[in-house]
Amino acid sequence: MLNYPIVSLLIPCYNAEQWVADAIESALNQTYPHKEVIVVDDGSTDGSLEIIKTFSDRIRWETGLNRGGNAARNRLLELSTGEWLQYLDADDYLLPDKVEKQIQFLGEVADADVIYSPVIVEYHQDNHSWQKVDQITEPPPHDPWILLARWHLPQTGASLWRKEAIVDVGGWNEHQNCCQENELYLRLLMAEKHFKYFDTPGAVYRAWSELTVCRKDSSETYRRRLEIKDKIEQYLESRNELSQLRQDAINQARFECARLIWLFNPKWANVIIEKIISRDNYFEIVNPNISNNYICIYRLFGFSLAESLAQFTRNMKTIFFKKI
């Protein structure tokens, strides 16, 4: 029989006056009864703190100097009393039964340290918003190493985290300015923590803003992403656990990064391709979103020509539709 644990719902906030009330309300409205809601204001300069204060004794909160998202998450970790943690960025929100459903699932997977689910992504453009479930498409049983390499483990709010597991790996890395949950996922996997998949989405990630660190500095984001892929490869190789499937996943992920990096730094992109080939001289592109024409050109003439022709095609389409 499941012993119902306390879940701490933890909200770091920095300049999110438009959203933070929604985030807090969604935490308070969780149908799971054994919970606490804690908010740390990370030195906001807008009206966020005044909004947080309006929730009075319904939540616990504190404020301080701006030290960054992971510092705020670590302070929330310190303040929490729950056995399980639900992190929620201040511009996102939860469906009412998100925590309850994942805790019920815990009855089936008592050894879990991270319960991860698909995330609902909410987009907005021209005064219109819409949602799409970001499904985890790899068929079960999932290999979390492959999911991490392919960047398919979900955004922070979609997971439920065992507090002890995060404490064991030293908390959030306060020097990690982007790809933060992925870096934490990596250290949890290296510490042999157990990841369990629950297929019902319950967290909504608002992909509205272009002002996040990851979106403002794409070169730093890709550097961090590739760094994590390198660490996955090195760690698995050191333990003789780098199967061909895992190596393929790492190289496919590198290739996808290289295609995007080529748009602003072709030299760097080619270095990535060289690394892929050094690891697997017979590397084949496996991506249903890449055309057969591209794959044929890549095989015959290499990455640079394939990308140049792809860019030329995109430019021609843009010109054509502008004329129409």
Side-chain angles (χ1 to χ4, degrees), residues 73-85:
R73 293 183 182 102
N74 279 335
R75 180 56 183 154
L76 286 160
L77 180 64
E78 293 171 357
L79 293 171
S80 65
T81 65
E83 180 183 342
W84 285 86
L85 309 178

Side-chain angles (χ1 to χ4, degrees), residues 49-255:
L49 183 57
E50 294 308 311
I51 294 169
I52 292 166
K53 289 178 179 179
T54 66
F55 287 88
S56 188
D57 61 357
R58 299 172 68 197
I59 64 173
R60 292 163 55 204
W61 64 270
E62 72 172 37
T63 187
L65 298 175
N66 176 238
R67 299 194 299 132
N70 275 357
R73 293 183 182 102
N74 279 335
R75 180 56 183 154
L76 286 160
L77 180 64
E78 293 171 357
L79 293 171
S80 65
T81 65
E83 180 183 342
W84 285 86
L85 309 178
Q86 168 66 63
Y87 280 98
L88 177 63
D89 289 348
D91 55 349
D92 299 330
Y93 62 97
L94 305 174
L95 301 186
D97 57 358
K98 192 270 188 187
V99 169
E100 182 176 16
K101 285 184 174 179
Q102 286 184 320
I103 288 293
Q104 287 174 346
F105 177 66
L106 181 61
E108 303 174 26
V109 288
D111 64 336
D113 296 300
V114 178
I115 297 174
Y116 65 98
S117 300
V119 66
I120 302 166
V121 183
E122 185 172 289
Y123 301 93
H124 183 82
Q125 187 176 19
D126 299 328
N127 297 317
H128 172 65
S129 60
W130 67 98
Q131 295 182 341
K132 179 181 178 182
V133 177
D134 190 5
Q135 297 285 3
I136 297 171
T137 56
E138 281 79 3
H142 292 159
D143 180 346
W145 287 105
I146 289 177
L147 294 179
L148 179 57
R150 296 303 306 271
W151 233 240
H152 291 170
L153 286 175
Q155 182 268 351
T156 311
S159 293
L160 197 65
W161 315 72
R162 188 186 294 275
K163 179 179 180 177
E164 183 182 8
I166 296 182
V167 171
D168 283 349
V169 300
W172 296 78
N173 181 355
E174 296 182 16
H175 301 290
Q176 187 83 14
N177 60 352
C178 63
C179 307
Q180 294 164 331
E181 65 267 61
N182 294 283
E183 191 275 340
L184 178 58
Y185 283 138
L186 172 65
R187 285 185 287 120
L188 289 166
L189 285 172
M190 291 172 68
E192 300 183 347
K193 303 303 181 183
H194 298 136
F195 284 57
K196 300 296 181 180
Y197 174 63
F198 178 62
D199 62 5
T200 303
V204 180
Y205 167 64
R206 282 192 173 109
W208 287 37
S209 174
E210 297 295 327
L211 300 178
T212 61
V213 173
C214 289
R215 297 188 183 201
K216 284 192 293 187
D217 187 352
S218 57
S219 62
E220 173 67 3
T221 300
Y222 288 118
R223 186 182 72 81
R224 292 287 192 173
R225 286 182 69 161
L226 291 164
E227 182 180 79
I228 288 172
K229 298 178 200 312
D230 288 347
K231 287 181 178 179
I232 293 170
E233 185 177 67
Q234 292 159 11
Y235 177 80
L236 292 175
E237 194 164 41
S238 72
R239 294 170 61 87
N240 199 31
E241 295 176 3
L242 185 60
S243 65
Q244 188 61 52
L245 284 174
R246 288 171 170 177
Q247 182 70 76
D248 289 346
I250 292 166
N251 282 338
Q252 293 295 333
R254 284 173 172 153
F255 181 80

